[in-house]
């Protein structure tokens, strides 16, 4: 696809937004000069959503008073968001914030008893939570080698991961698998990888591709809803948190530099079907919880985040055709 015209109606709408969206639109869709992209990215720490998130960190290093909670405003969730916003890990605000987390935050009061004194980047027991911690940690240059090693040891025979494996499950879940895959990819892209990490990630990647991102391997039928949580794989959310959907799966494949084949065709068709007459995608799902800052429009309204993500995926797909 040709670069997005920044002066087109769609380009102007996307750029009339938060710095965290603008820098990614400029760099990923508009082919803007690197200096312009870098200048816009720098604003993530000082303006808009990124600055508001950084300002919410307490003196004890936590956000939301805890390492993790079910309300989306915990330390783990804010670091997940800052990674998605593209806060520069080398920036002084990022370095200060991560230093406080590393020095002070533990899993006391929110994790299993045996992990309550773990430092934040040592994680807890559930691979979906540990995947999100490791993804943020790897992105921000923290030592999550122990978490990565743990995740490698928890891969199931079918190639994926499942938080219920501790309770006897032998089948992977899309939700846990995508959280772990994103962590392994961040670890590789941080230059800390080895062949065992890559091999495990590629096996997990095949788990998604064999199921064409939202089909049952056994019957080929579409998977409408997740067993845990009941969320719809074909409805696109942002933030996604621990939940899987088709757009999140496609974004992972794009980030991983996978060459698309016929196994993603149905997912791409689904993605294209949701584009409106103005070239935008809606925010189809907004998960209930205590969001620390508002990032997007109301549910069902056109979403800059989903539009940015969808256009990147279509660029990736069309480049390989």
């Amino acid at each position: 696809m040709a670069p997005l015209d920044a002066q087109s109606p769609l380009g102007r709408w996307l750029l009339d937004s938060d710095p965290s969206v603008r820098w990614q639109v400029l760099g990923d869709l508009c082919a803007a000069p690197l200096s312009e992209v870098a200048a816009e990215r720098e604003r993530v720490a000082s303006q808009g959503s990124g600055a508001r998130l950084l300002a919410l960190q307490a003196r004890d290093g936590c956000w939301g008073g805890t390492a993790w909670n079910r309300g989306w405003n915990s330390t783990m969730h804010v670091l997940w968001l800052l990674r998605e916003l593209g806060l520069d890990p080398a920036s002084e605000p990022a370095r200060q914030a991560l230093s406080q987390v590393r020095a002070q935050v533990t899993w006391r009061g929110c994790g299993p008893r045996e992990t309550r004194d773990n430092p934040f980047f040592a994680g807890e027991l559930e691979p979906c939570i540990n995947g999100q911690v490791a993804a943020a940690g790897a992105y921000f240059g923290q030592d999550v080698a122990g978490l990565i090693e743990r995740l490698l040891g928890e891969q199931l025979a079918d190639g994926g991961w499942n938080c219920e494996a501790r309770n006897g499950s032998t089948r992977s879940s899309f939700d846990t698998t995508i959280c772990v895959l994103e962590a392994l990819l961040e670890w590789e892209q941080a230059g800390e990888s080895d062949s065992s990490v890559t091999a495990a990630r590629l096996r997990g990647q095949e788990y998604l591709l064999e199921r064409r991102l939202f089909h049952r391997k056994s019957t080929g039928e579409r998977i409408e809803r997740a067993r845990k949580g009941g969320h719809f794989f074909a409805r696109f959310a942002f933030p996604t948190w621990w939940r899987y959907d088709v757009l999140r799966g496609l974004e992972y494949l794009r980030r991983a530099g996978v060459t698309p084949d016929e196994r993603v065709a149905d997912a791409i068709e689904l993605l294209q079907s949701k584009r409106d007459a103005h070239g935008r995608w809606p925010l189809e799902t907004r998960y209930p919880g205590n969001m620390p800052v508002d990032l997007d429009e109301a549910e069902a309204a056109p979403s800059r985040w989903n539009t940015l993500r969808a256009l990147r995926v279509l660029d990736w797909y069309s480049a390989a055709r």
Side-chain angles (χ1 to χ4, degrees):
M1 295 173 64
L4 177 69
D5 181 357
Q7 297 305 313
S8 68
L10 179 60
R12 290 198 302 272
W13 177 74
L14 280 168
L15 291 169
D16 181 21
S17 57
D18 191 81
S20 58
V21 175
R22 287 201 301 267
W23 86 264
Q24 296 183 65
V25 170
L26 289 169
D28 295 339
L29 302 179
C30 296
L34 293 179
S35 58
E36 183 179 354
V37 176
E40 195 61 51
R41 186 184 190 187
E42 189 176 346
R43 295 186 180 97
V44 173
S46 60
Q47 300 176 22
S49 298
R52 290 196 296 274
L53 287 170
L54 289 168
L56 291 173
Q57 187 178 28
R59 294 181 66 180
D60 64 1
C62 286
W63 282 269
T66 185
W68 173 87
N69 62 21
R70 299 182 186 277
W72 322 134
N73 66 342
S74 73
T75 302
M76 188 200 78
H77 293 104
V78 171
L79 292 179
W80 189 99
L81 283 175
L82 289 171
R83 167 179 163 260
E84 289 292 323
L85 300 186
L87 175 67
D88 185 352
S91 67
E92 188 57 29
R95 291 164 64 87
Q96 289 180 358
L98 271 294
S99 175
Q100 292 183 67
V101 172
R102 187 174 61 249
Q104 300 183 75
V105 181
T106 71
W107 291 85
R108 183 173 291 272
C110 61
R113 285 180 77 90
E114 58 266 48
T115 65
R116 62 185 179 181
D117 292 326
N118 279 7
F120 179 77
F121 289 110
E124 50 118 87
L125 297 183
E126 292 199 8
C128 59
I129 293 175
N130 285 340
Q132 293 171 86
V133 172
Y139 176 81
F140 284 111
Q142 305 304 301
D143 181 6
V144 290
L147 268 185
I148 296 296
E149 183 176 357
R150 180 186 181 95
L151 292 169
L152 295 185
E154 293 171 335
Q155 190 168 27
L156 298 176
D158 62 8
W161 288 262
N162 193 335
C163 285
E164 295 302 319
R166 290 189 299 135
N167 300 320
S169 178
T170 58
R171 292 194 301 174
S172 297
S173 82
F174 282 77
D175 295 318
T176 307
T177 298
I178 195 64
C179 290
V180 176
L181 284 176
E182 290 172 349
L184 298 183
L185 181 61
E186 286 287 3
W187 185 245
E188 288 183 85
Q189 292 180 339
E192 301 288 351
S193 186
D194 59 35
S195 59
S196 64
V197 175
T198 302
R201 183 178 61 79
L202 293 178
R203 283 183 59 212
Q205 185 174 291
E206 280 299 304
Y207 173 87
L208 297 183
L209 289 169
E210 286 173 349
R211 291 156 180 80
R212 291 183 287 153
L213 277 72
F214 67 130
H215 291 259
R216 300 191 190 284
K217 185 178 179 182
S218 56
T219 65
E221 67 179 323
R222 284 190 177 189
I223 302 172
E224 297 298 331
R225 304 181 73 151
R227 284 192 176 92
K228 182 178 180 180
H231 48 284
F232 291 89
F233 285 179
R235 294 178 61 83
F236 302 156
F238 189 84
T240 56
W241 306 126
W242 58 268
R243 294 173 171 92
Y244 176 85
D245 64 42
V246 172
L247 178 53
R248 185 176 184 182
L250 287 168
E251 270 268 88
Y252 160 78
L253 295 175
R254 179 194 68 82
R255 287 175 171 172
V258 175
T259 300
D261 59 29
E262 70 280 356
R263 294 176 293 178
V264 305
D266 198 23
I268 292 293
E269 182 179 343
L270 173 70
L271 178 66
Q272 291 172 323
S273 74
K274 295 174 179 288
R275 192 174 193 173
D276 70 16
H278 302 286
R280 305 171 301 184
W281 277 260
L283 181 67
E284 295 184 286
T285 297
R286 192 171 187 178
Y287 294 116
N290 184 19
M291 278 287 291
V293 300
D294 281 331
L295 295 180
D296 217 327
E297 306 301 326
E299 192 170 279
S303 162
R304 289 176 175 83
W305 277 105
N306 277 355
T307 300
L308 162 65
R309 296 163 67 222
L311 289 173
R312 285 194 299 215
V313 165
L314 292 182
D315 279 353
W316 158 76
Y317 184 72
S318 65
R321 308 311 291 169

